[in-house]
Amino acid sequence: MSSSMPPDSTGSNTDSAAGASTHDTESPVQEPEATSFVEQARGVDQHEIIQPGPVRAGGWRAWLVKKISQPIPGAQPRVRFSLPNESLGIADIPAPAVSAEQTETMGLFRHPIYYGFMGTVGVGIALAVSYIMSNTSQLLLWIVTALFIALGLDPVVRWLERRSVPRPVGIVLVLVTLLGIVAIFFATLIPTIVTQTTQLINKAPGWITDFFNSDFFRNIDGQYHVLDTINEQVAKFFQDAQAVGGIFGGVLGVGTTIANGLFGTLIVLVLSLYFLASLPAIKRWGYRLAPRSRRARVEELSEEITRGVGNYVIGQVCVAVINATVAFIIMSILHVPFSVLLAFVVALLAFIPLVGGMIAAVVVIAVSLTVGWQTALIYAICYLAYLQFEAYFVSPRIMQKAVAVPGAIAVISVIAGGSLLGVLGALIAIPTAAAVMLLVKEVFIARQDKH
């Protein structure tokens, strides 16, 4: 009966008051923070008042970063394959103790079938990897090129990050700037290059005719009958059906090569963008593959290598631009024909270490001979003098933060890289040699010094 009756409000209030007083005696209630009379009059909560100073310390940059980092309404976050937590690893679990007798019995002779099977599997995997690499060599070449470009642009992105620019925004700025420079360059120079290339092709038959009519060639032809031999070989060539068919096949091959080159350029640009955007994540994944006891050392050496490669790429670009500018000024003063086209060729050849400048000098001197030997001689003296100035003053100051490789190792690495991968191999040969030398110095020699 009593349980079904409604509770007495007076009794409940008395009990709650008594409970509250008992609670007050046991633990004091935390008083709310005092607010001013004006705030109470306005009915504004203290936590809603905009605090001056530190809250607005970021300014418009903090607001922009916050807006960019906010997800789009209705958009679903992309699933990411994140790294496991280091504290969840089993590296700290002690390994079970193994006695000396167990160690002696463990080995090849205890499980010969197992070790034989695993050896066969290893050989099969090695053959499969060799087959895949031999059939995807072009793709591997594109990947190496894209990674090289990404490492070259990464120092610029880092420089923007140190100035409170978010990495995605920095990547966009770098790519937009790079594409803008390339677009302006080609929009300005392509018409001139096409015009001068057309003039070069039109004038080439006249130069050949003048050479054949020169006294020098007449003397040689009178002694060795060079012109008759040339006419005979040309007649045999056009009489051969296979040779004529090879010409058309060569034309188709040139078209296929151009199409593959354009496709490869697109692939390299896309891969460079992805590598540049995910370079920190790629580094973190690579560092986690190393043992935790050596992870800090691996990270230090890897950062030094990637920093050196990036600085080398940027430095090489600066050296090539300066080289082409000086060559263009000299050619403009001496009125060498096709100066814009030749300056573009000099800039491309300047990327090849050690021998690129000399090859560019030979090409420009050969074209300068069409004006006169005096012009060719003056250009050779001026340009070779600049190459010496570049070797002792320009390159050391630009490359001081990049790599330092002895001359003999640089020559050997450039020749080996060019033989393996062509022009790309010659470009990446010196930073690769610098990375190998750094690893030898910091790992092998340091280990040998301890013994």
Side-chain angles (χ1 to χ4, degrees):
M1 294 290 294
S2 60
S3 61
S4 61
M5 294 176 64
D8 189 5
S9 60
T10 306
S12 62
N13 293 337
T14 306
D15 294 338
S16 61
S21 61
T22 306
H23 185 272
D24 292 340
T25 57
E26 293 177 358
S27 60
V29 179
Q30 185 178 1
E31 295 293 336
E33 297 180 359
T35 58
S36 63
F37 177 76
V38 178
E39 295 169 1
Q40 293 177 0
R42 293 179 179 178
V44 180
D45 189 5
Q46 184 182 8
H47 298 287
E48 296 179 357
I49 299 175
I50 300 176
Q51 300 292 335
V55 178
R56 293 187 175 181
W60 66 271
R61 291 183 179 177
W63 178 84
L64 180 61
V65 172
K66 182 179 179 181
K67 290 297 182 183
I68 293 176
S69 60
Q70 287 180 352
I72 301 175
Q76 296 294 329
R78 187 177 63 180
V79 179
R80 296 182 180 273
F81 191 70
S82 59
L83 288 169
N85 194 355
E86 292 189 23
S87 61
L88 300 178
I90 60 173
D92 296 333
I93 301 177
V98 181
S99 62
E101 297 179 357
Q102 292 177 350
T103 305
E104 293 177 358
T105 55
M106 293 180 187
L108 177 63
F109 297 101
R110 185 176 180 180
H111 303 287
I113 298 177
Y114 170 77
Y115 284 103
F117 176 75
M118 294 305 295
T120 305
V121 170
V123 173
I125 292 174
L127 292 176
V129 170
S130 175
Y131 175 79
I132 292 173
M133 292 183 65
S134 61
N135 288 274
T136 58
S137 58
Q138 187 65 45
L139 177 61
L140 295 177
L141 188 63
W142 291 342
I143 293 174
V144 172
T145 306
L147 185 60
F148 193 67
I149 295 174
L151 291 176
L153 296 177
D154 186 60
V156 182
V157 178
R158 286 186 178 183
W159 181 82
L160 292 174
E161 281 186 309
R162 290 193 296 267
R163 281 149 182 82
S164 303
V165 178
R167 185 174 181 86
V169 179
I171 293 173
V172 172
L173 291 177
V174 170
L175 291 179
V176 169
T177 304
L178 181 62
L179 292 177
I181 292 173
V182 172
I184 294 173
F185 174 78
F186 281 106
T188 305
L189 295 183
I190 277 185
T192 306
I193 291 175
V194 170
T195 302
Q196 294 186 356
T197 304
T198 305
Q199 293 177 0
L200 179 64
I201 294 174
N202 293 332
K203 291 183 178 180
W207 291 343
I208 296 174
T209 303
D210 294 338
F211 177 73
F212 284 161
N213 294 330
S214 63
D215 296 336
F216 174 75
F217 180 78
R218 288 178 179 177
N219 293 330
I220 296 178
D221 183 58
Q223 296 178 4
Y224 302 102
H225 305 284
V226 178
L227 190 58
D228 296 336
T229 304
I230 293 175
N231 293 329
E232 182 180 354
Q233 294 297 327
V234 170
K236 288 183 179 179
F237 178 81
F238 282 103
Q239 290 176 0
D240 191 355
Q242 294 181 355
V244 175
I247 294 177
F248 294 101
V251 172
L252 294 177
V254 170
T256 305
T257 303
I258 294 174
N260 291 334
L262 295 176
F263 179 73
T265 302
L266 178 61
I267 294 297
V268 167
L269 290 177
V270 174
L271 287 178
S272 301
L273 176 60
Y274 277 102
F275 284 154
L276 187 60
S278 60
L279 194 59
I282 294 174
K283 290 181 180 180
R284 287 195 299 269
W285 271 98
Y287 300 152
R288 290 297 296 274
L289 296 178
R292 187 164 61 176
S293 59
R294 301 178 181 177
R295 195 167 295 163
R297 184 59 174 164
V298 171
E299 181 177 357
E300 180 183 357
L301 293 176
S302 301
E303 289 294 331
E304 188 172 351
I305 290 173
T306 54
R307 191 183 308 112
V309 172
N311 293 332
Y312 173 80
V313 174
I314 295 177
Q316 196 68 29
V317 171
C318 295
V319 170
V321 171
I322 296 173
N323 195 334
T325 304
V326 172
F328 176 74
I329 293 173
I330 298 174
M331 287 186 290
S332 299
I333 295 175
L334 298 177
H335 301 287
V336 177
F338 319 114
S339 57
V340 177
L341 177 62
L342 292 176
F344 182 71
V345 173
V346 169
L348 293 179
L349 293 175
F351 280 97
I352 302 176
L354 301 177
V355 297
M358 295 303 300
I359 296 175
V362 171
V363 172
V364 179
I365 290 172
V367 177
S368 301
L369 288 173
T370 59
V371 180
W373 66 268
Q374 298 89 348
T375 302
L377 180 61
I378 296 173
Y379 177 82
I381 293 174
C382 296
Y383 186 73
L384 294 177
Y386 165 74
L387 290 180
Q388 298 300 316
F389 177 79
E390 176 186 289
Y392 288 98
F393 294 96
V394 178
S395 294
R397 284 165 174 76
I398 294 178
M399 297 291 187
Q400 60 182 353
K401 294 183 179 180
V403 295
V405 180
I409 297 180
V411 173
I412 295 173
S413 60
V414 168
I415 295 174
S419 301
L420 292 174
L421 298 176
V423 177
L424 178 63
L427 290 176
I428 66 176
I430 291 182
T432 304
V436 173
M437 290 181 60
L438 177 65
L439 294 177
V440 169
K441 182 180 70 173
E442 298 293 338
V443 178
F444 181 74
I445 296 179
R447 183 181 300 173
Q448 295 298 107
D449 290 340
K450 295 180 181 179
H451 298 285

